[in-house]
Amino acid sequence: MDYKQLIIRGISYSQTQSGAYALLLEHEETHIKLPVVIGNFEAQSISLGLEKDIHPPRPLTHDLFTKFIVSANYELVSVIIYQIVDGVFFSNINFKNKANEEELILDARTSDAVAMAVRFDAPIFTTQQVLNEAGILLELEDVAKEEQSFSETVNTEDSLRSVSMEELQKLLDEAVKEEDYDTALEIQEEIKRRKKKID
C-alpha cells in the first residue's frame, strides 16, 4: 500500500472539548493537515517526547514502555494511522526484533502511537483514504480576519445545518486559522454530507 508520511506540526488546546487537545499532523508534499483530538496526558507525553532535553523526575508510561522495548531488543520502525471510523483514528505500531528481524504489529490508540514514535524518531504514516476523509487543506495566510471568534459563531451540529455552503467554507477557514481543528473537522464533515446529497 502507498502510505503517506506525516509530520507533527503542533499541539493546540481544543476549544470545543474541555480538557482535550488537537494534535496537528501534516502531509509534507500536499500540506494536507490531519487533526487528531487527544487527551491532556497524551499531549504532555508527546510534547515531552519531542523535547529531547526535558526529562521528568519519574518515567511516564510511554517512557517506561520505550525502555521495555529497547530491553527486549526491539525497535519501533513506524506508526501507521490506517483508518478513521466515526471520528476515531485507528493505528498500528510496527516493531522489529534487532536480532532476528522478526516483525511485531500492535494495535494502539493514535495518541499513544505518536507518543511512542517521537521517542524513537520513527516515521508516522497514513493512507490516502484517511487523508481524503479527515484531511484539511487550507492556505492560512489567505484566510480573512474575522472580528467574531469562531467558537461563538458555531457551537452545535444543528447550527451548521442552517448555514449556507459559502458560509460553511468561511467558518472552516476561520476554525483552521484559530487552530480549532476538531471543530474544523466537524464542519468539513457537514460540507461532505451536503456534497454527497448533491451527487
Side-chain angles (χ1 to χ4, degrees), residues 98-112:
K98 293 180 181 179
N100 57 20
E101 301 292 312
E102 180 184 356
E103 295 182 355
L104 174 65
I105 300 174
L106 296 180
D107 179 44
R109 295 187 309 167
T110 298
S111 55
D112 289 328

Side-chain angles (χ1 to χ4, degrees), residues 83-90 110:
Q83 190 178 28
I84 178 171
V85 179
D86 296 329
V88 178
F89 292 92
F90 290 78
T110 298

Side-chain angles (χ1 to χ4, degrees), residues 146-163:
E146 299 286 344
E147 292 184 5
Q148 185 179 22
S149 72
F150 173 77
S151 57
E152 293 174 355
T153 306
V154 177
N155 293 314
T156 65
E157 188 176 328
D158 290 337
S159 66
L160 291 179
R161 292 181 178 175
S162 62
V163 175

Side-chain angles (χ1 to χ4, degrees), residues 23-131:
L23 167 66
L24 184 63
L25 304 172
E26 181 181 88
H27 183 224
E28 275 191 297
E29 294 179 13
T30 62
H31 301 293
I32 293 177
K33 295 163 181 63
L34 198 66
V36 182
V37 177
I38 61 176
N40 177 57
F41 172 75
E42 291 78 8
Q44 180 187 42
S45 184
I46 292 170
S47 296
L48 286 172
L50 290 169
E51 297 292 335
K52 305 296 183 184
D53 297 331
I54 300 177
H55 302 286
R58 301 296 296 149
L60 299 176
T61 304
H62 297 115
D63 297 322
L64 184 63
F65 191 39
T66 296
K67 289 180 180 179
F68 175 78
I69 292 166
V70 173
S71 299
N73 207 26
Y74 276 85
E75 63 179 335
L76 195 156
V77 179
S78 65
V79 163
I80 298 176
I81 304 171
Y82 64 89
Q83 190 178 28
I84 178 171
V85 179
D86 296 329
V88 178
F89 292 92
F90 290 78
S91 298
N92 282 332
I93 306 178
N94 299 314
F95 300 95
K96 185 167 65 174
N97 189 298
K98 293 180 181 179
N100 57 20
E101 301 292 312
E102 180 184 356
E103 295 182 355
L104 174 65
I105 300 174
L106 296 180
D107 179 44
R109 295 187 309 167
T110 298
S111 55
D112 289 328
V114 172
M116 294 302 302
V118 297
R119 284 163 169 76
F120 283 88
D121 293 318
I124 302 167
F125 298 99
T126 192
T127 65
Q128 187 61 55
Q129 184 178 355
V130 170
L131 286 176

